[in-house]
Amino acid sequence: MTTETSRPDAAADPELACPISPVVDIVFSRWTSPILWSLHAFGRQRFVELERRIENITPKVLTQRLRQLERDGLVVRTYHPEVPPRVEYEISELGRTLSPLFAQIAEWGAANLEHVERARRRYDDAGA
C-alpha cells in the first residue's frame, strides 16, 4: 500500500513522475522512429538509401539523428576504407530490442487511430 509519505518526491526527480519519459525522449523524437523502423525493416543501409526512404528529412537532420542513435547504442555505423569511402548504418542488437514495442504501437494504431480521428472531428465540430 502506497501512502503519501512513502511515495518518491516527483518534484525532486521528474523521471519519478513519468519513468518512461527518458525512453520517449530517446526513441520517439521526430525522426528517430522512422530511422529505426527503416533500418529494422530494410536492414543495413547507406546514408542516401535512408534519405530516400524517409521523406522530408534533411541531410543535416539525418546526420544529427544517426550520430545520436549511434551514441545511444541503437545504431551501428560501419566505415569501409575503400575508394570512394563507404559508410553503412544498421540497427544494433540493443535497437532490435525495441521491435516488440514498435509492433505494439503499430497494433495500437491499427486498432485505434480511427477512433482518434472521430474524436478529433467531434471536438473540432463542437468548437465550430
Side-chain angles (χ1 to χ4, degrees):
M1 183 163 138
T2 304
T3 65
E4 206 55 42
T5 56
S6 67
R7 287 183 30 208
D9 185 6
D13 187 353
E15 288 183 15
L16 295 175
C18 181
I20 67 167
S21 187
V23 177
V24 170
D25 289 344
I26 293 167
V27 178
F28 297 107
S29 70
R30 168 101 165 108
W31 296 108
T32 299
S33 301
I35 292 168
L36 291 174
W37 186 272
S38 179
L39 290 172
H40 177 74
F42 300 102
R44 183 182 300 178
Q45 298 172 63
R46 295 179 73 172
F47 185 91
V48 294
E49 294 171 301
L50 279 168
E51 193 176 25
R52 284 185 200 126
R53 283 201 169 97
I54 303 168
E55 293 182 19
N56 301 321
I57 192 168
T58 65
K60 178 184 175 184
V61 171
L62 181 56
T63 298
Q64 290 171 338
R65 294 311 311 152
L66 285 168
R67 285 183 183 155
Q68 185 62 50
L69 289 167
E70 183 182 8
R71 181 174 180 255
D72 291 340
L74 300 174
V75 166
V76 175
R77 178 183 183 270
T78 304
Y79 174 79
H80 300 277
E82 42 193 53
V83 179
R86 181 170 48 101
V87 177
E88 295 176 316
Y89 298 90
E90 62 186 311
I91 195 165
S92 69
E93 287 302 315
L94 179 61
R96 282 188 233 294
T97 64
L98 293 167
S99 189
L101 176 62
F102 286 146
Q104 285 184 322
I105 291 170
E107 187 177 304
W108 184 91
N112 294 294
L113 283 179
E114 186 178 314
H115 300 290
V116 171
E117 286 302 318
R118 281 198 304 264
R120 287 176 177 171
R121 283 192 299 274
R122 281 193 307 272
Y123 181 90
D124 292 346
D125 291 347

